Amino acid sequence: MSIDSLVFEQTERGPDDELKLQFEAISRFDADEKKVIKALLEGMILKHEAKRIAQFSG
């Protein structure tokens, strides 16, 4: 049993309905394509967090 299953409910983790089809499609990409998608997602997450922190502190 994972810590996630102890802490989060079944429906509390994972992509929302709007993104499920995109993530299903990405699961069929080759390794290099997945690396590109992962880098794009990480960049967007960092951008979002930086914006959130800037709004909170300023």
Side-chain angles (χ1 to χ4, degrees):
M1 182 171 276
S2 71
I3 189 70
D4 284 347
S5 65
L6 293 172
V7 176
F8 299 103
E9 292 183 28
Q10 182 78 13
T11 59
E12 198 171 8
R13 299 269 319 204
D16 60 20
D17 289 340
E18 197 172 316
L19 296 174
K20 282 183 183 177
L21 290 175
Q22 285 85 355
F23 281 111
E24 280 182 37
I26 291 166
S27 72
R28 295 185 295 271
F29 285 15
D30 67 32
D32 288 336
E33 292 169 325
K34 285 180 181 178
K35 284 181 187 179
V36 171
I37 295 298
K38 186 176 177 182
L40 289 169
L41 288 171
E42 288 172 351
M44 290 302 301
I45 291 166
L46 288 172
K47 179 182 174 184
H48 173 79
E49 289 300 311
K51 181 179 170 184
R52 189 179 63 81
I53 290 169
Q55 289 174 343
F56 178 74
S57 63

